[in-house]
Amino acid sequence: MKTIITFGTFDVFHIGHLNILRRARALGDRLVVGISSDELNLQKKARLPVYLQNERMHIIESLRCVDEVFLEESLELKADYIRRFNAQTLVMGDDWKGRFDHLSPLCEIVYLARTPTISTTSIIETIRQN
Ligand code: C2G
């Protein structure tokens, strides 16, 4: 049984999120997703997500390609999460390329190409302009 782990906020769920989750799942037998907490987002991006953590967790856990979700409370705890879920592979979008290479003694690190042109920020901007 090969377990894949990935992390993200997944705010205002869109096709780029779905693409990376489906491709991550296809690399193994089980996909575990760490959903960034509201507090972590406040620290990282200086704003709260549009969808709060419980809603984001419910949306992601209801996807067919996702087996389990948990709350990611700190960016520094990735090694603990990888061990806790016994993950063999960490998948991240290539906007994070190189940032998690130090975890390679623990598991395989794979960066997948982001889906072009779409992002939560651009969706918010489009709605604002309309
Ligand atoms: N993503 C993608 N294509 C897009 C937008 C996002 O492939 N057009 C991917 C990102 O690369 C990431 C995942 O979708 O792997 C989740 O994206 P975000 O919600 O923006 O995640 P982020 O806030 O970067 O949080 O510990 C790491 C962080 O929690 C990642």
Side-chain angles (χ1 to χ4, degrees):
M1 164 82 90
K2 184 174 176 186
T3 299
I4 314 293
I5 195 166
T6 192
F7 296 87
T9 309
F10 302 101
D11 191 23
V12 188
F13 190 74
H14 60 66
I15 193 72
H17 295 146
L18 185 60
N19 286 341
I20 198 161
L21 292 171
R22 291 179 71 173
R23 285 155 71 213
R25 175 64 178 75
L27 297 176
D29 308 301
R30 172 174 173 251
L31 177 62
V32 178
V33 185
I35 311 287
S36 298
S37 69
D38 294 336
E39 181 57 37
L40 183 53
N41 263 266
L42 209 50
Q43 292 165 21
K44 271 196 316 192
K45 300 182 183 171
R47 67 164 178 85
L48 276 176
V50 179
Y51 298 170
L52 298 184
Q53 64 192 33
N54 287 350
E55 300 166 340
R56 291 183 285 111
M57 288 180 81
H58 277 309
I59 291 168
I60 303 302
E61 80 183 351
S62 71
L63 298 171
R64 216 165 16 194
C65 58
V66 172
D67 297 285
E68 195 170 341
V69 298
F70 66 97
L71 203 59
E72 179 193 29
E73 306 211 56
S74 162
L75 292 179
E76 317 307 322
L77 290 176
K78 288 216 166 44
D80 291 10
Y81 297 133
I82 289 166
R83 284 194 205 97
R84 187 195 301 170
F85 292 99
N86 199 14
Q88 279 86 51
T89 303
L90 167 65
V91 170
M92 290 301 298
D94 62 3
D95 47 327
W96 290 91
K97 199 168 179 101
R99 297 275 296 277
F100 301 115
D101 289 357
H102 60 283
L103 297 168
S104 63
L106 270 182
C107 70
E108 176 193 21
I109 316 291
V110 175
Y111 302 100
L112 294 179
R114 275 170 71 93
T115 301
T117 69
I118 187 148
S119 70
T120 300
T121 309
S122 72
I123 294 169
I124 293 171
E125 198 47 43
T126 303
I127 293 169
R128 212 174 250 146
Q129 283 167 8
N130 292 343

